[in-house]
Amino acid sequence: MDKQTITIYDVAREAGVSMATVSRVVNGNPNVKPTTRKKVLEVIDRLDYRPNAVARGLASKKTTTVGVIIPDVTNLYFSSLARGIDDIATMYKYNIILANSDKNEEKEVQVLNTLLAKQVDGVIFMGNKITDELRAEFSRSRTPVVLAGTVDPDEQVGSVNIDYEKATEEATTMLIDNGHKKVAFISESHEEPINGVYRLNGYKHALEKAAFPYEEELVLQSEYTYKVGEAVYEQLNKAGATAAVVADDELALGVLNAALDRGVNVPEDFEIVTSNNSKLTAMSRPRLTTVEQPLYDIGAVAMRLLTKLMNKEEIEEKTITLPYTIGKKGTTK
Amino acid sequence: MDKQTITIYDVAREAGVSMATVSRVVNGNPNVKPTTRKKVLEVIDRLDYRPNAVARGLASKKTTTVGVIIPDVTNLYFSSLARGIDDIATMYKYNIILANSDKNEEKEVQVLNTLLAKQVDGVIFMGNKITDELRAEFSRSRTPVVLAGTVDPDEQVGSVNIDYEKATEEATTMLIDNGHKKVAFISESHEEPINGVYRLNGYKHALEKAAFPYEEELVLQSEYTYKVGEAVYEQLNKAGATAAVVADDELALGVLNAALDRGVNVPEDFEIVTSNNSKLTAMSRPRLTTVEQPLYDIGAVAMRLLTKLMNKEEIEEKTITLPYTIGKKGTTK
DNA sequence: CTGTTAGCGCTTTCAG
DNA sequence: CTGAAAGCGCTAACAG
């Protein structure tokens, strides 16, 4: 009953070879005579032997697992990236240890440490702010790190993203070109470079080109949830905004529905451009106009980059910028 | 530069104690004199020592990681469960290896095997069909398994869910009570017991109670994606349905929008009840009436059950049924 | 309260 | 092409 674990040693004995040979056939080492290989394979099959990955990890110092730090799996932006990451990881025979960080800086550091303790071969980090402490941990270990959908002005680790600044500028300009004088910009904390530096700069550039003044009431910092949409819309309304560039789809959808619930016509009286291209954008009525980021690809390319780093291959460029477009749907004219 | 890994042995030497003692303080074993503990802790801190979880796993035969098999992280139903799983796992100091299975039976078996090879202490499985092969793998290993949001008529492993049959019956009855003569039922394959047995039975019972005939054209099997909504709505329309119970939120939203796009008034001319209570249900206009499953809790309770199983605690009941309600929102009268 | 001693199951030189 | 042997870094009896 208590089926005891069978080891490489059992296989060796049963097949009349040394464990080194068994190890070789298990690992596909070509230096094994076909006859021997066949015999060993037969015993492996008969005994239903399965290599213990933990022992292998200890001996080889490779675990074939990578850590993925994600703010929240329940957010479609991040889960879409995660999907791309996992698919490529699987393709390269890696497994994923997924850890939610809640965008909590303390938890991020803690999670990173347990990931490193588990000897992951690499780490993919999502989340918009790289604190100094986190950066210190990154460089302290020799474990390669890649940021996915996350910018770090201090480009020490690999990263994959789109040009957030240009995308935001384009979105804002589009709204201005549609005749709006009061275009709002809503994102999470400006302490996150992706918002406070890149996107905000894009927004400002668009204003400058149009010779519009920068008005503080039009720039909001809000968490990315659907339910704050109401409150955010009220603020926009109060500020006199007639259009908004929103950095998150759930939030954008909340704002859209708040407007609709108040009888506002979208896009006639109010226009919205969102930023993440998650499947939510296709599910609203009208559909959300969005910056079309290649979410899956960002994850996939990040994981691909990480495999190269783990493999110590030469990398041309540690920072990869993927293309985007603006997908005009129903929330803009 | 090449900061070589420092081991328990280094700490022992530096602190002038044996590695056993270091191991004890690292593991919080009380049998260490405070002075010694303090000294060791100081050295650990100075050397920045981090225990190698892989070595620990090999020696202790416990990895403090559990495998989670998920059909698709990108589906809000599953990611909500995953969120509950991860939170409780973190609370109990476990990490999660997340593996997408795409509801692909072959991949499920393969993924389960690599999870077992990695010596996970337990497995949480999501996905609606437990094939015989999978069941065989489950019982072949002594690793505890818990199903989350997944029913298995053959109750060999732990599982956490709601009473799908009763919930579906209630939803259907509600629609019948609202005056509908043609209520449709849409789910994924009936080969999955959750649909073909539980939900379908609930639907049938509701019809029986109302003395309605069972009409095949009203029972559709469809994949759970938003974009098939159009086609599904067409079929419903052709079959003369005026109301539908849908087993997935994304699909329900697709159907709802297809109806709206055709100028149909919801809920006046067409009513919809969906089943998963994901956040999507609050995001549509009108909001989707849904079976209010406690998604996060299903995941959380499943993980909690698994910790007990891994801990070899006595379990009162391996199958846990959580309560649900029907949340009447905008897609029903 | 602390040290010694075996392993855990596998990879990896190094010989031959 | 194959085997012997030395670990990987840690836990877990067992003494003392």
Side-chain angles (χ1 to χ4, degrees):
Chain A
M1 193 74 220
D2 206 45
K3 190 180 301 172
Q4 75 173 57
T5 44
I6 89 110
T7 74
I8 198 173
Y9 183 74
D10 300 317
V11 176
R13 186 169 24 71
E14 202 73 10
V17 299
S18 73
M19 43 187 295
T21 299
V22 177
S23 175
R24 288 191 185 96
V25 349
V26 167
N27 292 297
N29 184 317
N31 293 343
V32 180
K33 190 163 44 164
T35 352
T36 317
R37 176 186 306 280
K38 188 152 166 289
K39 187 173 53 183
V40 172
L41 251 16
E42 184 270 319
V43 174
I44 285 182
D45 195 56
R46 180 155 55 76
L47 264 44
D48 192 29
Y49 164 71
R50 290 196 222 158
N52 178 325
V54 173
R56 187 187 296 209
L58 182 58
S60 69
K61 293 174 172 305
K62 279 185 173 46
T63 54
T64 63
T65 105
V66 314
V68 174
I69 300 176
I70 191 172
D72 181 11
V73 244
T74 258
N75 178 308
L76 279 169
Y77 171 69
F78 294 117
S79 63
S80 301
L81 296 183
R83 193 58 226 252
I85 293 169
D86 189 61
D87 282 359
I88 303 303
T90 301
M91 187 176 301
Y92 284 88
K93 311 284 184 204
Y94 284 94
N95 286 102
I96 285 314
I97 295 188
L98 208 276
N100 286 96
S101 70
D102 289 312
K103 296 195 183 182
N104 174 150
E105 302 178 355
E106 215 172 307
K107 213 170 160 191
E108 284 172 351
V109 172
Q110 181 190 317
V111 142
L112 176 62
N113 277 320
T114 96
L115 252 22
L116 294 176
K118 296 220 168 170
Q119 313 298 118
V120 293
D121 297 336
V123 171
I124 292 201
F125 182 87
M126 300 182 248
N128 293 320
K129 178 94 182 292
I130 313 288
T131 60
D132 291 337
E133 196 173 0
L134 205 54
R135 203 194 311 284
E137 296 291 339
F138 283 166
S139 54
R140 190 148 70 95
S141 83
R142 275 175 289 17
T143 309
V145 176
V146 172
L147 311 178
T150 302
V151 287
D152 184 26
D154 172 286
E155 304 189 345
Q156 285 314 293
V157 298
S159 77
V160 179
N161 23 242
I162 65 163
D163 186 336
Y164 301 104
E165 179 165 339
K166 202 152 140 288
T168 306
E169 177 175 340
E170 231 175 281
T172 308
T173 297
M174 178 176 121
L175 259 12
I176 290 174
D177 287 349
N178 282 357
H180 296 277
K181 300 295 179 199
K182 300 262 192 181
V183 178
F185 168 66
I186 310 151
S187 72
E188 218 165 44
S189 168
H190 290 179
E191 283 183 15
E192 300 172 356
I194 192 175
N195 299 318
V197 178
Y198 300 94
R199 286 187 170 128
L200 188 58
N201 277 348
Y203 172 73
K204 285 178 175 170
H205 287 165
L207 295 183
E208 283 164 17
K209 283 193 184 163
F212 280 14
Y214 174 83
E215 304 179 59
E216 286 197 350
E217 320 84 67
L218 291 175
V219 177
L220 272 45
Q221 295 180 52
S222 155
E223 61 166 335
Y224 291 159
T225 62
Y226 176 78
K227 57 174 174 290
V228 297
E230 303 257 324
V232 168
Y233 180 73
E234 283 310 331
Q235 272 189 270
L236 292 179
N237 203 14
K238 201 168 301 171
T242 58
V245 174
V246 184
D248 177 79
D249 294 350
E250 251 190 61
L251 175 56
L253 187 46
V255 171
L256 168 62
N257 282 342
L260 296 177
D261 290 348
R262 280 161 184 68
V264 175
N265 287 319
V266 178
E268 293 75 9
D269 303 332
F270 194 80
E271 296 191 47
I272 300 175
V273 179
T274 187
S275 306
N276 288 342
N277 194 35
S278 70
K279 49 186 173 184
L280 282 183
T281 60
M283 296 180 179
S284 64
R285 286 298 178 272
R287 292 177 182 78
L288 283 160
T289 289
T290 184
V291 172
E292 289 182 332
Q293 297 191 46
L295 297 189
Y296 180 92
D297 294 352
I298 290 176
V301 170
M303 184 64 213
R304 181 64 185 104
L305 175 58
L306 186 61
T307 64
K308 288 181 184 168
L309 256 18
M310 293 187 295
N311 221 21
K312 300 194 191 315
E313 291 176 27
E314 269 315 304
I315 304 298
E316 327 72 61
E317 187 52 81
K318 272 166 55 171
T319 301
I320 299 178
T321 305
L322 262 26
Y324 68 90
T325 56
I326 303 272
K328 297 193 188 184
K329 301 291 168 53
T331 56
T332 53
K333 288 177 211 159
Chain B
M1 194 72 222
D2 207 42
K3 189 181 304 175
Q4 75 173 56
T5 44
I6 89 108
T7 74
I8 198 173
Y9 183 74
D10 300 317
V11 177
R13 186 171 24 72
E14 202 73 9
V17 300
S18 74
M19 41 187 298
T21 300
V22 177
S23 177
R24 287 192 187 95
V25 349
V26 166
N27 293 296
N29 185 316
N31 295 342
V32 181
K33 189 164 45 165
T35 351
T36 318
R37 177 186 306 281
K38 188 152 167 291
K39 188 173 54 183
V40 173
L41 250 17
E42 185 272 318
V43 175
I44 285 181
D45 195 57
R46 180 155 55 78
L47 264 45
D48 192 30
Y49 165 70
R50 290 197 221 156
N52 178 325
V54 173
R56 186 185 296 205
L58 182 59
S60 70
K61 294 174 172 304
K62 279 185 175 41
T63 54
T64 63
T65 106
V66 313
V68 174
I69 301 176
I70 192 172
D72 181 11
V73 246
T74 256
N75 178 308
L76 279 169
Y77 171 68
F78 294 116
S79 64
S80 301
L81 297 183
R83 194 56 226 254
I85 293 169
D86 189 62
D87 282 358
I88 302 303
T90 301
M91 186 175 301
Y92 285 88
K93 311 286 185 204
Y94 284 94
N95 286 103
I96 284 316
I97 296 189
L98 208 276
N100 285 96
S101 70
D102 290 313
K103 296 195 182 182
N104 175 149
E105 302 177 356
E106 216 173 306
K107 214 172 161 191
E108 284 172 350
V109 172
Q110 182 191 316
V111 143
L112 176 63
N113 278 319
T114 95
L115 252 22
L116 294 176
K118 296 220 168 169
Q119 313 299 118
V120 293
D121 296 336
V123 171
I124 291 200
F125 182 87
M126 300 182 248
N128 293 320
K129 177 92 182 292
I130 314 289
T131 60
D132 291 337
E133 197 174 2
L134 205 52
R135 202 193 313 284
E137 296 290 340
F138 282 164
S139 54
R140 191 146 70 93
S141 82
R142 275 176 290 16
T143 309
V145 175
V146 172
L147 310 178
T150 302
V151 286
D152 184 26
D154 171 285
E155 304 189 344
Q156 286 312 293
V157 299
S159 77
V160 178
N161 23 243
I162 66 162
D163 186 336
Y164 300 105
E165 179 166 336
K166 203 154 139 285
T168 307
E169 177 176 339
E170 231 175 281
T172 309
T173 296
M174 177 177 122
L175 258 12
I176 290 174
D177 288 349
N178 280 359
H180 295 277
K181 300 295 179 199
K182 300 262 192 182
V183 178
F185 169 66
I186 310 151
S187 72
E188 219 165 43
S189 169
H190 290 179
E191 283 183 17
E192 301 172 355
I194 192 175
N195 298 319
V197 178
Y198 300 93
R199 285 186 171 129
L200 188 57
N201 278 347
Y203 172 73
K204 285 178 175 170
H205 287 164
L207 294 184
E208 284 163 18
K209 281 192 184 164
F212 280 14
Y214 175 83
E215 304 178 59
E216 286 196 351
E217 320 84 67
L218 291 175
V219 177
L220 272 45
Q221 295 180 52
S222 155
E223 61 166 334
Y224 291 159
T225 63
Y226 175 80
K227 57 172 175 291
V228 297
E230 304 257 324
V232 169
Y233 180 73
E234 283 310 332
Q235 273 189 271
L236 291 179
N237 204 12
K238 201 167 302 170
T242 58
V245 174
V246 184
D248 177 78
D249 294 349
E250 251 191 61
L251 175 56
L253 188 45
V255 171
L256 168 62
N257 282 343
L260 296 177
D261 290 349
R262 280 161 185 69
V264 174
N265 286 320
V266 178
E268 294 75 9
D269 302 332
F270 194 80
E271 296 191 48
I272 301 175
V273 179
T274 185
S275 307
N276 288 343
N277 195 35
S278 70
K279 50 186 172 185
L280 281 184
T281 59
M283 297 181 179
S284 65
R285 286 300 178 270
R287 292 176 182 79
L288 282 159
T289 289
T290 183
V291 172
E292 288 181 335
Q293 298 190 48
L295 297 188
Y296 180 91
D297 294 351
I298 291 177
V301 170
M303 185 63 212
R304 180 65 184 103
L305 175 58
L306 187 61
T307 63
K308 289 182 184 169
L309 257 18
M310 292 187 296
N311 221 20
K312 300 194 192 314
E313 290 176 29
E314 268 316 303
I315 304 299
E316 327 72 62
E317 188 51 85
K318 273 166 56 170
T319 301
I320 299 178
T321 305
L322 262 27
Y324 69 90
T325 55
I326 303 274
K328 296 194 187 184
K329 302 290 167 53
T331 56
T332 53
K333 287 178 211 160

